[in-house]
Amino acid sequence: MFKKVHLRLTLLCAGITAVIMLVMSLCYLYVSEKGLYRNQFQAFKNDINTISTNLEQQSVISMEWLAKMEAQGNYRFFVLDNGVPFLYNQLSDPEQTEENNILLTESRNALNSLSSQDVTVTVSDGINGILSHSEYEFISPSTDSRYFCSLIQMGTGNSLLEIVVLSPLQRLEQQIEEQRTRFLLIDIGATILLGIFAWFFTGILLKPIAENQQKQAMFVAAASHELRTPLSVILSAAECCRDAAPERQEGFIRTIYQEGLRVSSLVTDMLTLSQSDSHRFPVRKEPTELDTLLMNSYEAFEPLAREKSIQLSLTLPDGALPLCNVDPERISQVIAILLHNAISYTPNQGRIELSLARHKERFAVSVQDNGIGISDADKKRIFDRFYRVEKSRNRKDHFGLGLSIAHEIVKAHGGSIQVTDAEGGGSCFTVIL
């Protein structure tokens, strides 16, 4: 399931980003190409103004001057006197006379078919008469090529001189085509990189969810395993109780009661952890005297420690301590879990020390024993649910949830809990508040 979700999220993230990037690229290309055409057309108009100025100032048009102007601007000139073409075009390019005539006719016909908004017209008075020139863009039907065209007309009396100037746009179109190709390659490369990035990024996002689902599956499996044993004992005892003699029924009933208490304790712990997972963990903080809290915990567990011949001691700082803003019931639960574990896993004649220390604005509650200790590998998983270190520590009255609950309570208070090796053997659990 997570593989499909991973793939779909990758396609979604990369696809949305790629579409946005493509739209932005198209918008940029549109604006850029419009600008290139506009700049090219403006440059063409400036050149036509220069040519028109030269025509106003001279009375003779030489073939040398026409050839020079064509070479400077990569233009093609057609000169007509009263509609009759000059010999210039036939002499300068005799092999393409027919094509030139067709192009000349197309350019002049295009002017007649365009509206006034598509044509720029300039009129001025020169020494040789009235001079006007019109600039426009057209596409040749015969060659399907685009041109900027200018028709310069200068006339006096019955004489009319026409000069048609054509500027082919092949170079500009080639430049635009190269720009589109570059952007296409950039978009393809960026899309591939986005896909790779989205794959790893969504993988990182899904990793906690996958781990959480795996932990939930392990939690359910472990809980089912833990519940199966007492339920099997209860069913077995109930079956035996039905057919047993009255004097033996009391023993079976006692067994059912004890196993029922185990199931009730396990369900309570599981509900507590479920509230933590759903962020509905009830924590009601209030100013609390931690030293009084530890004294109450000490008095509650001292008889239990004495039964096992374990020396339980309490160490508190000298002098009055400031109040700590915590949930007293929850912190008492944490201390009870740590003391219960310490008493359970400390051998007879052992020692357990419950202590409180203050470090600036923090309090440290420690429970240290000289029991069997915890290996470095197990320290990393000691707070995992249903995790118990080794078989020697797998007691029937422990489900491996106590330290997980303690960890969730401390985390809900914004504190931390850690375990270290105690001097001379054993373990030391420290809660920082």
Side-chain angles (χ1 to χ4, degrees):
M1 181 185 73
F2 277 98
K3 290 184 178 180
K4 292 183 178 179
V5 174
H6 189 186
L7 180 60
R8 290 176 181 176
L9 283 178
T10 299
L11 294 176
L12 179 64
C13 295
I16 292 176
T17 309
V19 169
I20 294 174
M21 183 177 60
L22 180 61
V23 171
M24 293 180 65
S25 298
L26 292 176
C27 292
Y28 173 82
L29 287 174
Y30 176 79
V31 174
S32 175
E33 291 175 11
K34 285 288 184 181
L36 288 173
Y37 275 108
R38 185 171 56 251
N39 295 336
Q40 185 81 0
F41 189 61
Q42 186 62 42
F44 176 71
K45 289 170 61 178
N46 293 337
D47 290 343
I48 295 301
N49 288 331
T50 302
I51 294 172
S52 300
T53 302
N54 291 334
L55 289 174
E56 290 176 345
Q57 297 174 356
Q58 59 185 351
S59 57
V60 178
I61 301 177
S62 65
M63 294 182 62
E64 181 181 358
W65 179 82
L66 290 173
K68 181 179 179 181
M69 297 304 296
E70 279 190 341
Q72 286 181 353
N74 191 29
Y75 298 141
R76 299 177 69 175
F77 280 73
F78 299 94
V79 185
L80 299 93
D81 184 11
N82 290 327
V84 179
F86 274 20
L87 294 176
Y88 168 74
N89 297 108
Q90 300 179 9
L91 296 176
S92 61
D93 196 0
E95 296 181 358
Q96 298 183 354
T97 301
E98 184 177 354
E99 294 181 8
N100 289 338
N101 292 334
I102 295 174
L103 187 59
L104 175 61
T105 302
E106 291 175 346
S107 63
R108 299 185 70 184
N109 292 336
L111 178 61
N112 297 327
S113 63
L114 294 174
S115 63
S116 59
Q117 296 178 350
D118 298 326
V119 181
T120 302
V121 180
T122 304
V123 180
S124 61
D125 293 330
I127 60 174
N128 298 318
I130 299 176
L131 185 144
S132 67
H133 54 91
S134 305
E135 289 78 41
Y136 54 94
E137 179 183 349
F138 84 100
I139 300 176
S140 170
S142 60
T143 62
D144 199 27
S145 300
R146 300 179 68 178
Y147 294 88
F148 288 146
C149 181
S150 177
L151 175 60
I152 303 174
Q153 294 178 325
M154 185 171 58
T156 56
N158 295 327
S159 176
L160 177 64
L161 177 66
E162 294 179 302
I163 300 177
V164 178
V165 183
L166 294 179
S167 174
L169 300 182
Q170 282 86 353
R171 289 185 180 180
L172 180 60
E173 291 175 341
Q174 183 180 1
Q175 180 183 354
I176 291 175
E177 191 67 27
E178 291 175 354
Q179 180 176 259
R180 291 178 178 177
T181 303
R182 284 197 299 269
F183 268 81
L184 177 61
L185 294 177
I186 291 173
D187 287 345
I188 293 175
T191 302
I192 295 174
L193 292 177
L194 282 171
I196 297 173
F197 173 77
W199 176 263
F200 285 102
F201 183 72
T202 53
I204 293 173
L205 290 179
L206 289 174
K207 185 176 180 181
I209 301 176
E211 291 178 351
N212 186 52
Q213 187 189 45
Q214 184 179 7
K215 287 182 180 179
Q216 287 182 351
M218 294 173 60
F219 182 83
V220 172
S224 302
H225 175 75
E226 295 291 348
L227 286 170
R228 186 183 298 113
T229 301
L231 289 177
S232 299
V233 175
I234 290 174
L235 293 174
S236 177
E239 182 71 21
C240 295
C241 183
R242 184 178 57 181
D243 301 328
E247 61 273 9
R248 296 189 59 190
Q249 288 182 353
E250 183 178 355
F252 292 121
I253 293 175
R254 188 184 309 110
T255 300
I256 293 173
Y257 177 75
Q258 291 174 348
E259 295 300 322
L261 290 178
R262 288 191 65 215
V263 173
S264 176
S265 175
L266 176 58
V267 171
T268 300
D269 290 345
M270 291 172 61
L271 288 176
T272 301
L273 291 173
S274 176
Q275 289 176 336
S276 173
D277 292 338
S278 60
H279 302 287
R280 293 185 289 105
F281 201 72
V283 175
R284 301 175 180 86
K285 295 183 180 181
E286 60 183 57
T288 305
E289 296 178 348
L290 286 183
D291 50 356
T292 303
L293 206 66
L294 264 67
M295 290 179 62
N296 294 337
S297 299
Y298 170 79
E299 293 174 356
F301 280 87
E302 198 277 333
L304 182 61
R306 194 185 323 119
E307 287 181 5
K308 289 191 61 178
S309 301
I310 295 175
Q311 180 184 353
L312 178 61
S313 61
L314 174 63
T315 303
L316 298 175
D318 297 332
L321 293 174
L323 300 178
C324 184
N325 192 34
V326 296
D327 186 333
E329 293 185 4
R330 290 298 185 182
I331 298 303
S332 295
Q333 185 179 1
V334 172
I335 298 173
I337 290 172
L338 298 180
L339 286 175
H340 189 262
N341 281 353
I343 293 174
S344 299
Y345 301 129
T346 299
N348 295 343
Q349 309 302 324
R351 299 186 311 275
I352 298 175
E353 181 180 357
L354 175 63
S355 62
L356 173 65
R358 181 190 176 194
H359 305 284
K360 296 182 179 180
E361 299 299 323
R362 296 184 178 182
F363 291 94
V365 179
S366 299
V367 176
Q368 179 175 321
D369 62 63
N370 64 343
I372 60 178
I374 303 173
S375 66
D376 293 337
D378 292 322
K379 287 188 181 72
K380 299 178 181 178
R381 300 188 58 192
I382 196 67
F383 298 106
D384 291 350
R385 299 172 186 182
F386 290 109
Y387 181 77
R388 288 173 287 189
V389 179
E390 52 198 28
K391 291 184 178 180
S392 61
R393 300 193 68 163
N394 288 350
R395 299 169 55 91
K396 188 176 180 180
D397 55 344
H398 284 261
F399 300 102
L401 293 179
L403 290 178
S404 298
I405 295 174
H407 178 265
E408 295 296 337
I409 292 175
V410 174
K411 185 173 69 173
H413 281 78
S416 63
I417 182 172
Q418 57 188 8
V419 58
T420 56
D421 293 329
E423 295 183 4
S427 303
C428 179
F429 286 85
T430 303
V431 176
I432 306 297
L433 297 171

